């Protein structure tokens, strides 16, 4: 990679009011897994500003095709393209970001021994994929739209249709896991995990709109989902030693 | 007034109970998609420095050992240089620095085998004590938790990050205890007595 494109500099501070709080009683499991003491807050250091690098050589040809990447036979379900750009908070596209996704199959069932939901496994659906963002931050997956599923929380809680997403920035302090929801799903507004986020604008940032411009006629629909990572400060006035 | 045209970071959501489907499918028992899981080791043969092994578990506020926790680690090489985008130069080519560590599905124990990292400068030039950065996710964790492993047999007194912890007894929650030469124990407590220090950095 061209050294001038290496990402450096202190990270923007995380807006903790925008993210979900740790302790959110509507999502019961968070009650015993939330730290009670305040986080120790300070600016980023090299340990947060540097991060692992991933190369295109490690990505297989079908890694971003969840319809075909398990057995080579097509998975069942509504075929969709999930696409978007990885950006940072300054609006720049971020290249070479590893995006990993996992999801239930079209019936709402995960390929996991702890998932005992009545919907059947699809023998041709593994449920994960990965890709690296391109030079402008763009990424895409081909998959099936996952089904909604019930989960043990309150008596009758159901997860809206969703895709889990894991992203690396160029710094370990940008590490993020989130979930994509689908435009128009009535279960979004009822979901205790969605509602761990207190800000409705922030919730809307996780809802992917239907994108007919990227749909392929007679083949698949498309949903657009941009991912925004913490930005980096650029200033000649940073209180830093030369060469850092 | 001119608009401030920044985007907001994508809000976090929990990794949920099935994070291993996505991040460690082979270890979970869903082989066939990737040749191997990512982050199996932060080093390759020939990495310079002291080989060490750190073992621990993650415990919740009810005292339960978590068997669904996933941890990622990031560290410098033995000279204190980070692989990749460290502005000070190139790291040991046999140190990738990053690992994905999963709690054992039955016991909840996890292990990290690596080289002990060197000291890395704080932004003002003072040196931070040798440490490994961790990021912890699991069902019930709404936003990944940042913490650090320091080492009992290093000089941690002058570390500018540890100095920022006002309640001094809590510093001990970040210090791995040596159980044998090159062997350390580091347990993470999410909530309650001996709650691990987590950072917002
Ligand atoms: Fe899920």
């Amino acid at each position: 990679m061209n050294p001038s494109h290496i990402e450096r500099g202190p990270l923007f501070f995380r807006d903790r009011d925008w993210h979900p709080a740790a302790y959110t009683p509507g999502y019961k499991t968070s009650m015993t897994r939330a730290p009670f003491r305040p986080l120790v807050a300070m600016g980023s250091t090299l340990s947060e500003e540097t991060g692992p690098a991933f190369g295109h050589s490690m990505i297989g040809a079908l890694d971003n095709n969840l319809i075909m990447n398990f057995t080579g036979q097509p998975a069942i379900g509504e075929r969709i393209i999930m696409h978007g750009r990885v950006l940072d908070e300054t609006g720049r596209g971020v290249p070479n970001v590893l995006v990993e996704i996992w999801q239930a199959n079209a019936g709402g069932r995960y390929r996991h021994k702890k998932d005992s939901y009545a919907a059947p496994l699809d023998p041709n659906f593994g449920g994960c994929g990965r890709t690296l963002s391109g030079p402008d931050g763009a990424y895409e997956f081909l998959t099936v739209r996952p089904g909604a599923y019930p989960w043990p929380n309150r008596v009758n809680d159901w997860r809206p249709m969703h895709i889990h997403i894991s992203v690396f920035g160029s710094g370990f302090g940008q590490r993020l896991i989130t979930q994509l929801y689908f435009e128009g799903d009535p279960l979004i507004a009822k979901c205790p995990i969605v509602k761990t986020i207190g800000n409705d604008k922030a919730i809307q940032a996780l809802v992917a709109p239907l994108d007919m411009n990227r749909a392929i006629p007679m083949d698949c629909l498309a949903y657009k989902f941009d991912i925004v990572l913490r930005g980096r400060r650029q200033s000649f006035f940073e209180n830093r030693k030369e060469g850092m | 007034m001119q608009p401030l045209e920044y985007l907001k970071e994508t809000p976090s959501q929990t990794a949920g109970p099935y994070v291993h489907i996505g991040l460690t499918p082979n270890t979970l028992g869903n082989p066939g998609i990737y040749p191997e899981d990512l982050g199996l080791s932060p080093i390759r043969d020939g990495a310079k420095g002291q080989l060490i092994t750190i073992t621990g578990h993650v415990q919740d506020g009810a005292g339960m050992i978590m068997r669904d926790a996933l941890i990622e680690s990031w560290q410098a090489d033995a000279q204190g240089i980070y692989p990749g985008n460290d502005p000070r130069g190139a790291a040991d080519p046999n140190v990738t620095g990053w690992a994905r560590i999963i709690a054992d599905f039955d016991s909840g124990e996890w292990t990290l085998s690596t080289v002990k990292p060197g000291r890395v400068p704080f932004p003002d030039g003072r040196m931070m004590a040798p440490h490994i950065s961790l990021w912890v996710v699991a069902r019930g964790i709404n936003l990944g938790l940042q913490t650090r492993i320091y080492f009992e047999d290093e000089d941690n007194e002058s570390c500018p990050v540890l100095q920022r912890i006002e309640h001094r007894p809590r510093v001990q929650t970040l210090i791995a205890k040596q159980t044998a030469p090159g062997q350390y124990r580091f347990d993470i407590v999410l909530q309650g007595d001996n709650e691990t220090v987590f950072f917002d950095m």
Side-chain angles (χ1 to χ4, degrees):
Chain A
M1 195 165 41
N2 181 334
S4 66
H5 292 148
I6 292 180
E7 304 256 335
R8 287 169 182 161
L11 298 173
F12 286 6
F13 308 108
R14 215 163 214 164
D15 182 350
R16 298 258 164 189
D17 294 332
W18 180 255
H19 285 287
Y23 184 82
T24 48
Y27 175 25
K28 291 181 184 175
T29 314
S30 75
M31 295 172 74
T32 52
R33 295 183 167 192
F36 281 167
R37 304 189 195 258
L39 302 176
V40 173
M42 68 186 84
S44 61
T45 74
L46 270 179
S47 305
E48 292 73 40
E49 294 158 16
T50 54
F54 301 97
H56 286 267
S57 61
M58 74 175 215
I59 303 288
L62 287 178
D63 282 6
N64 69 340
N65 182 344
L66 285 76
I67 289 180
M68 298 298 288
N69 73 6
F70 193 48
T71 61
Q73 296 298 311
I76 292 170
E78 180 185 330
R79 298 160 58 86
I80 61 168
I81 289 171
M82 162 188 171
H83 79 99
R85 289 175 73 205
V86 182
L87 307 162
D88 75 9
E89 288 170 284
T90 68
R92 290 181 317 119
V94 188
N96 291 312
V97 170
L98 177 65
V99 181
E100 297 165 285
I101 67 171
W102 67 100
Q103 62 170 88
N105 69 22
R109 175 81 181 268
Y110 281 100
R111 185 168 289 282
H112 194 288
K113 60 181 182 294
K114 290 210 171 130
D115 187 355
S116 55
Y117 181 38
L121 284 172
D122 175 346
N124 296 316
F125 189 71
C128 71
R130 65 186 180 190
T131 191
L132 279 177
S133 62
D136 58 350
Y139 76 91
E140 68 176 348
F141 290 95
L142 180 64
T143 187
V144 294
R145 184 146 84 152
Y149 60 84
W151 60 295
N153 189 57
R154 297 173 304 196
V155 177
N156 192 24
D157 276 328
W158 291 70
R159 293 305 325 281
M161 301 175 288
H162 63 280
I163 296 176
H164 296 267
I165 306 168
S166 162
V167 276
F168 286 82
S170 49
F172 196 56
Q174 293 171 307
R175 195 75 182 82
L176 183 72
I177 279 181
T178 190
Q179 300 181 29
L180 171 158
Y181 303 103
F182 292 87
E183 177 187 356
D185 186 342
L187 291 171
I188 295 171
K190 299 179 189 301
C191 176
I193 287 178
V194 172
K195 287 194 277 194
T196 60
I197 301 172
N199 180 317
D200 189 57
K201 268 194 188 159
I203 290 173
Q204 292 308 313
L206 298 183
V207 181
L210 178 68
D211 180 0
M212 292 306 282
N213 289 329
R214 274 296 274 273
I216 302 175
M218 309 306 287
D219 185 338
C220 59
L221 288 169
Y223 287 85
K224 178 172 172 291
F225 191 79
D226 287 341
I227 298 164
V228 182
L229 300 172
R230 292 171 73 182
R232 288 178 184 267
R233 291 210 307 273
Q234 304 285 335
S235 172
F236 293 119
F237 299 110
E238 292 290 343
N239 181 22
R240 290 186 169 230
K241 282 194 167 173
E242 273 309 301
M244 295 185 52
Chain B
M1 190 170 65
Q2 297 184 4
L4 254 183
E5 292 178 332
Y6 291 111
L7 303 177
K8 297 294 287 183
E9 187 185 12
T10 298
S12 174
Q13 291 273 262
T14 180
Y18 304 124
V19 61
H20 303 91
I21 292 176
L23 303 190
T24 61
N26 291 292
T27 311
L28 175 67
N30 289 352
I33 302 171
Y34 310 139
E36 65 175 27
D37 291 338
L38 293 178
L40 293 176
S41 175
I43 56 170
R44 289 188 276 260
D45 289 348
K48 295 188 189 74
Q50 183 195 358
L51 289 168
I52 60 170
T53 298
I54 306 159
T55 305
H57 61 233
V58 185
Q59 183 182 313
D60 71 14
M64 301 276 287
I65 309 272
M66 291 164 54
R67 291 165 299 170
D68 57 354
L70 184 142
I71 301 169
E72 289 182 6
S73 68
W74 174 241
Q75 66 169 92
D77 69 9
Q79 301 302 314
I81 305 287
Y82 280 102
N85 53 344
D86 192 319
R88 297 165 303 153
D92 180 343
N94 292 317
V95 174
T96 59
W98 174 73
R100 203 164 248 172
I101 311 158
I102 59 175
D104 183 88
F105 297 134
D106 296 317
S107 70
E109 291 274 300
W110 56 263
T111 298
L112 172 63
S113 293
T114 185
V115 291
K116 194 188 254 187
R119 303 168 91 82
V120 173
F122 194 64
D124 65 7
R126 286 180 292 164
M127 298 304 276
M128 297 187 280
H131 65 274
I132 297 174
S133 297
L134 300 183
W135 178 78
V136 184
V137 297
R139 176 174 70 103
I141 297 176
N142 289 328
L143 174 60
L145 297 167
Q146 296 172 281
T147 188
R148 289 181 172 193
I149 302 174
Y150 286 84
F151 300 93
E152 181 178 43
D153 54 336
E154 295 285 340
D155 174 15
N156 296 308
E157 284 303 306
S158 59
C159 178
V161 170
L162 293 179
Q163 283 177 354
R164 289 286 286 273
I165 300 169
E166 286 178 24
H167 189 51
R168 299 310 294 168
R170 298 198 68 211
V171 172
Q172 288 306 314
T173 69
L174 298 181
I175 298 180
K177 302 296 182 285
Q178 195 165 23
T179 54
Q183 307 280 321
Y184 297 87
R185 179 86 201 171
F186 187 79
D187 292 325
I188 297 168
V189 180
L190 295 188
Q191 184 189 89
D193 292 341
N194 298 316
E195 182 176 304
T196 300
V197 168
F198 297 103
F199 293 101
D200 178 12
M201 295 182 76

